[in-house]
Structures are given as structure tokens and as C-alpha cells.
Amino acid sequence: TSFKRSFKKKVDLKNLNAPVIFSNDKKIILNALKEKEISSYGKYSRIFENKLSKYTKSKYVISTINGTAALQVAMSALGINKNDEVLMPSFNYIAGPNAASMCGAIPHFIDIEEETLGICPIKLEKYLILNTKKNKGITINKKTKRPIKAILILYTFGHPPKILKIMDIAKKFNLLVVEDAAEALGTFYNKKHAGTFGEIGILSFNGNKIITTGGGGAILTKSSKVAEKVKKLINNGKKNHKWKFIFETRGFNYRLPSINASLGISQLKNLNKLIEKNRKLFLIYKNFFSNFKSMNLFNEPNLSRSNYWLQTLLLDKKISKIRNKLIINMIKLGIEARAPWQLLSETKMYKNCPKMNLKISKRMYERIINLPSRFI
């Protein structure tokens, strides 16, 4: 009740992270309609990609219909195939393992750390030393005998993990790096944008993300070869030709339509304003919860500047047992709060996948409440 009274005129309490619509959004969409830039990849798709490239400093940006499609294509473009294992945090959204399984690969779940909510590099390195071997430069899982091909790195709630340390481990074990920066547009680590450290990264522009194209995503890469593979994969495997339809490989209809991209262009103009509002909201929440000894707000990790996509409340272990009751009571008061994702290692589809000890992931799942994250 105190929370609602304090924030009801400042925060959209009824929505965890509803889209913000700006006055120019309608104008550019109407222009797209007038120009018949609607259902196909087109003029506004290219403009949106160029603006994202400039903002993120990624050499190549290819837009897609959503973030999950971007993840699937990213893995496929890197050659992740049947029976390859892909390391990824169990504390993660379902898109990661779904994308891997669409490539025929097997998710392999690893633990996080409390400091960043991202992959724990210390625990990861120890685990790989004990549980893998090298065969002709390929890292092999000693137990399953399968190759561990890649690592999927998540920017949890918009915050960076210890990306440079994880990159060093990936290099040591010859792992391809896919960065799931779906939640992290506008997030920087050591002044470098999320999703631009590894071979390939992805973004999402779903309606609940910091900016939206309705649905939508993007793939970031510095490699011209990877970019060309991606373009072919999202265009039904079609060879680039002005008038012939020549299909060279299996592919998908995953390109972002021009009308969706037009909304993204308008939204992108307001990105920095939205980030500043998110950062201000963090400080307001932090000040409010400083009055409660057993609760605190998750702060951006060292060396990073986060977009604070979701404001995250951390409960002390001693009161984590009442987490669900707190969420239920908030919902009854008209405040949309939620628990984090179910651990992927505990889902029906992926419970039998390889995994390390996940005690930090389990502990953090029990302690987290995501709070309404948009100013009115």
C-alpha cells in the first residue's frame, strides 16, 4: 500500500513495461502506409538498420521479425548444428534453448553470479576444466561425448555480465560467442555496446522492450561472411538477384517488414530519453527501498552503463520465502509485479539437458521481484 501511494502518479503501476508511444510514431507509420512500405523488407527496414548500426557501432545490422528468430538465425549462421552443445545460463528466457533446439543443438545450462545476474566466469572456467577435454581443438563434454560448440551470453534485465572475462574463457575453450542482448539496447560495457563483443549478437524490439517495432529483432556482427549468411537465411535461402528467384539453401521468412521498421526509426530517436528516465526511476526506487533493511534494488555492474530495462528488487535470503506472497498482494492492489523466469533446467522440455550445479541461479530466482519499470 505504501508502495502504491508513493508511485501511483509517477509510474505505470498497471504494466510491468508497456510500450511508450510518441507523437512522431503515428506520422512515420502513416508515411509508410502512403508509400506502400508495408509487409515486405524495404526502405524503412534499411534506414532502421543503418541507424542501429550507427548507434551500436556494429559494422553490420540485419533486422528480423523478432528476437527469437534472430537467435535461431545467429546460431545457424555460425554453424551450430545437430548434437552440438550450447552453454547458456539456466536463469534465462526460453528463447535461448528454443533457438538452439531449432538448430538441432542441445542446451547445456550453467550458473550465474549474484553480482551481475550474468554467467559466473569463475565457476564456468572451473567447470569446463573438470568436465571437458580437447580433441583437435574442439571442446568435448566428457560425459555426453558431444562437442560444446558455443556459449550464449545473456544481458539479464538489460545489465551486462563480466563480458570480457567470459570472452577470454570462450577463446581458451574455442567456443563461438552469441550475445543475447535482447533486453539491452542502449546498454554499454566499458563504453562498448551490448551485443558487439562476440562473433554475433542479437537485439529485440518486442512491445515490452525499451523501444519497439511492434515485433522485431536485429542481428549484430562485425563479419561480412556472417552477415551474408544471415541475410540469406532470413530471406528463404534466396540468392541476391534483381529478377531471378534462385534458392541456394534452406532458409526462413524472417525479415522485418518496412512498416514495423518505420516505427523503430521514430522510437529510436527517443531511446536516450527513455534510458535517462529508467535510470532516474532506479534512483527513486532505490531511495524508497532504502527504508527496508531486507530489500534493495539491483544496481548496474561495475564498468557498465545499463538501460535498466526492468527494475529489479532483491530480497534478503531470510525473507525470500514470502516473495510469492508479496507479488500476489501487489497484484491485488493493481501493481503488476512478477517473479523472474522459471529456471530453464526445470522446464518440462529441457530438464534432461546437461547442467552444472545451479545453486546461485536457484537462490536468485527465489529472491527477485521485477517491478513496474515505466514512468507515466
Side-chain angles (χ1 to χ4, degrees), residues 11-227:
V11 184
D12 182 0
L13 295 177
K14 293 182 180 180
N15 296 284
L16 193 73
N17 214 333
V20 179
I21 305 302
F22 299 93
S23 57
N24 284 335
D25 292 347
K26 183 177 180 181
K27 182 179 177 181
I28 195 167
I29 290 171
L30 287 174
N31 285 340
L33 288 170
K34 287 176 185 176
E35 296 169 15
K36 299 184 180 179
E37 290 281 340
I38 302 175
S39 63
S40 299
Y41 179 92
K43 166 186 167 181
Y44 290 106
S45 311
R46 290 186 289 273
I47 293 171
F48 185 49
E49 289 171 347
N50 288 335
K51 288 185 178 297
L52 282 171
S53 178
K54 185 176 180 180
Y55 183 86
T56 62
K57 302 293 191 293
S58 177
K59 189 171 183 181
Y60 301 98
V61 174
I62 304 102
S63 57
T64 62
I65 56 170
N66 56 52
T68 303
L71 272 178
Q72 179 193 342
V73 169
M75 292 185 190
S76 185
L78 292 183
I80 296 169
N81 293 311
K82 187 175 181 180
N83 290 325
D84 290 334
E85 292 185 9
V86 180
L87 299 168
M88 64 183 72
S90 181
F91 189 85
N92 192 352
Y93 186 57
I94 197 70
N98 283 351
S101 64
M102 287 292 287
C103 296
I106 296 105
H108 185 149
F109 298 120
I110 54 180
D111 207 6
I112 61 169
E113 60 177 6
E114 186 171 339
E115 184 182 348
T116 64
L117 299 180
I119 294 167
C120 177
I122 295 172
K123 194 169 182 180
L124 173 63
E125 186 166 22
K126 288 179 179 177
Y127 179 77
L128 290 174
I129 289 169
L130 286 173
N131 293 281
T132 68
K133 62 182 180 180
K134 290 278 186 67
N135 182 8
K136 297 180 180 178
I138 299 170
T139 297
I140 305 294
N141 183 332
K142 288 180 181 178
K143 186 174 181 180
T144 65
K145 313 301 182 189
R146 293 188 293 251
I148 300 178
K149 189 79 166 280
I151 183 166
L152 178 67
I153 302 172
L154 182 69
Y155 289 74
T156 311
F157 308 141
H159 299 291
K162 291 176 180 167
I163 184 72
L164 297 179
K165 291 183 178 180
I166 299 168
M167 290 290 297
D168 286 342
I169 295 167
K171 185 176 181 180
K172 182 177 178 179
F173 289 90
N174 295 331
L175 303 174
L176 297 165
V177 173
V178 181
E179 291 175 76
D180 184 350
E183 303 162 358
L185 179 64
T187 289
F188 292 81
Y189 183 83
N190 209 17
K191 299 183 179 180
K192 188 173 169 67
H193 195 278
T196 63
F197 290 84
E199 283 83 4
I200 203 163
I202 73 100
L203 300 169
S204 171
F205 309 110
N206 189 38
N208 67 343
K209 297 303 188 290
I210 192 161
I211 69 164
T212 187
T213 56
I219 294 172
L220 315 179
T221 183
K222 56 193 170 219
S223 166
S224 60
K225 288 184 179 179
V226 171

Side-chain angles (χ1 to χ4, degrees), residues 161-300:
K162 291 176 180 167
I163 184 72
L164 297 179
K165 291 183 178 180
I166 299 168
M167 290 290 297
D168 286 342
I169 295 167
K171 185 176 181 180
K172 182 177 178 179
F173 289 90
N174 295 331
L175 303 174
L176 297 165
V177 173
V178 181
E179 291 175 76
D180 184 350
E183 303 162 358
L185 179 64
T187 289
F188 292 81
Y189 183 83
N190 209 17
K191 299 183 179 180
K192 188 173 169 67
H193 195 278
T196 63
F197 290 84
E199 283 83 4
I200 203 163
I202 73 100
L203 300 169
S204 171
F205 309 110
N206 189 38
N208 67 343
K209 297 303 188 290
I210 192 161
I211 69 164
T212 187
T213 56
I219 294 172
L220 315 179
T221 183
K222 56 193 170 219
S223 166
S224 60
K225 288 184 179 179
V226 171
E228 287 307 309
K229 285 183 182 178
V230 166
K231 289 175 184 178
K232 190 169 288 186
L233 283 167
I234 68 170
N235 192 22
N236 294 301
K238 184 175 177 289
K239 183 179 180 180
N240 190 21
H241 194 281
K242 287 185 177 181
W243 53 274
K244 283 186 179 180
F245 279 82
I246 303 168
F247 299 97
E248 297 183 313
T249 184
R250 183 188 68 164
F252 314 95
N253 184 17
Y254 282 175
R255 295 189 298 173
L256 182 70
S258 199
I259 194 166
N260 293 80
S262 72
L263 175 58
I265 293 164
S266 177
Q267 289 260 309
L268 193 58
K269 291 177 182 177
N270 294 285
L271 175 59
N272 289 334
K273 185 191 299 183
L274 290 169
I275 292 170
E276 289 308 313
K277 284 188 173 185
N278 284 2
R279 295 178 67 81
K280 183 179 177 182
L281 181 57
F282 162 76
L283 293 174
I284 295 170
Y285 272 160
K286 186 179 176 73
N287 181 60
F288 176 84
F289 284 106
S290 66
N291 297 312
F292 301 86
K293 292 182 179 178
S294 54
M295 303 177 184
N296 63 84
L297 261 287
F298 182 79
N299 200 353
E300 64 188 357

